[in-house]
Amino acid sequence: MERSGLTLSALLACAQVADGNATMTVGEDWLQGRSLFGGIQAAVGWRAMRTLAPAAMPLRTLQMTFIEPVPSGTVRATARVLRTGKSTMHVEARLEDSGKPQACMIAVFGASRESRVRQEMPAPPGKAFDKPFRFVPGLAPSFMQQFDVNLVDGAPPFANAQATRASYQLGLRDSGPLTEAHLLVLADFVPPVALSWMAKPTPGSSLTWMFELLREDFAAHPLAGWRADAQLVAARDGYTNQSTALYAPDGTAIVLSRQSMVLFGWSW
């Protein structure tokens, strides 16, 4: 199915920005249920933060809390610098509607430093991509039309299978160029692995998200052929903890991600 609406690159190009502020008009094609997809919320906050953080300081980490649903339409983010050191800058951003907080995030931007410590994550094992994860209007979340996805390993949501791992091949239907905002969107794609335990659609939501960028030399990679390996680390009392590694098409680990999520009911 053809993607509708605007790509992330187009949204970023159309954003209205000023020092510490960003406003985007995001369509229903980026919805995840009744709220905008978390990755696009992070991209709006990132755009506001980038008006304050120098381009020479790459994004290193971003921590985010989702407070309430963010509807499609006009999304506003306001950012402020918390601290600037010799090589790092802490910046806070908030999505707000009429002064009411919708999401909060804190990012650390940091210049490179000399260090004798260097440890790369190994590339994931090769595996055939033969299980298309298709967007079906009315069944799949609207934001999925922005992606090309194959299930590499594990089970999809609502498969009634007690999977603890899931791997996906990902691509954004976007001409680029690849930016930190695109990595935020790619890294947040993976659905809760715990949803594979459900026999029918069951609502869930992210509470917190931590994003760690492992490399700053990612811009030459294409927007297709990425791989996300997710693991359900723990689950209890309706809350789940999940970690994800995002790999570039050449197998280089680019992002580590960790999420705390809530499932609103059990279905057997």
Side-chain angles (χ1 to χ4, degrees):
M1 178 178 176
E2 291 295 321
R3 177 196 52 77
S4 65
L6 295 179
T7 65
L8 174 59
S9 294
L11 289 172
L12 292 171
C14 294
Q16 299 177 22
V17 297
D19 287 350
N21 294 278
T23 301
M24 289 189 197
T25 301
V26 185
E28 294 182 356
D29 50 306
W30 282 100
L31 282 174
Q32 184 175 12
R34 63 196 181 108
S35 182
L36 287 176
F37 169 56
I40 202 71
Q41 294 183 43
V44 180
W46 169 87
R47 189 66 190 88
M49 290 189 284
R50 265 298 176 203
T51 66
L52 304 174
M57 279 190 172
L59 176 66
R60 300 295 176 177
T61 69
L62 184 143
Q63 302 172 59
M64 186 166 187
T65 298
F66 302 94
I67 299 172
E68 68 172 25
V70 180
S72 59
T74 302
V75 184
R76 296 181 175 87
T78 302
R80 65 184 180 122
V81 176
L82 299 178
R83 181 182 183 275
T84 300
K86 291 182 179 180
S87 57
T88 61
M89 175 184 285
H90 288 70
V91 185
E92 177 191 56
R94 291 176 176 244
L95 303 188
E96 296 183 336
D97 180 22
S98 301
K100 189 176 181 181
Q102 298 169 307
C104 275
M105 61 202 84
I106 293 178
V108 179
F109 299 86
S112 299
R113 310 175 187 219
E114 291 187 8
S115 174
R116 64 179 295 180
V117 181
R118 187 180 182 91
Q119 176 67 30
E120 305 288 352
M121 286 180 58
K127 199 156 188 177
F129 306 119
D130 59 358
K131 300 176 183 176
F133 202 68
R134 294 188 175 90
F135 169 66
V136 180
L139 293 178
S142 293
F143 80 90
M144 274 193 59
Q145 65 190 283
Q146 303 286 349
F147 292 83
D148 290 311
V149 186
N150 285 289
L151 181 65
V152 180
D153 198 7
F158 320 126
N160 198 26
Q162 296 185 14
T164 57
R165 294 178 180 271
S167 297
Y168 296 88
Q169 183 192 41
L170 299 176
L172 264 176
R173 296 181 176 181
D174 191 328
S175 59
L178 179 64
T179 68
E180 293 166 345
H182 291 83
L183 292 179
L184 288 166
V185 168
L186 284 166
D188 193 43
F189 168 83
V190 180
V193 176
L195 287 180
S196 68
W197 291 48
M198 309 303 177
K200 60 183 180 181
T202 304
S205 179
S206 293
L207 294 176
T208 63
W209 179 34
M210 175 173 279
F211 170 98
E212 299 178 3
L213 186 54
L214 305 180
R215 303 179 65 105
E216 57 186 81
D217 55 342
F218 58 79
H221 291 294
L223 280 165
W226 290 72
R227 173 166 166 159
D229 286 2
Q231 179 180 0
L232 175 62
V233 177
R236 187 181 179 90
D237 301 326
Y239 297 87
T240 73
N241 303 94
Q242 178 172 310
S243 61
T244 301
L246 180 67
Y247 300 89
D250 65 358
T252 302
I254 302 294
V255 172
L256 288 178
S257 171
R258 188 175 181 91
Q259 283 184 289
S260 174
M261 293 166 277
V262 61
L263 300 183
F264 295 111
W266 293 98
S267 174
W268 301 100

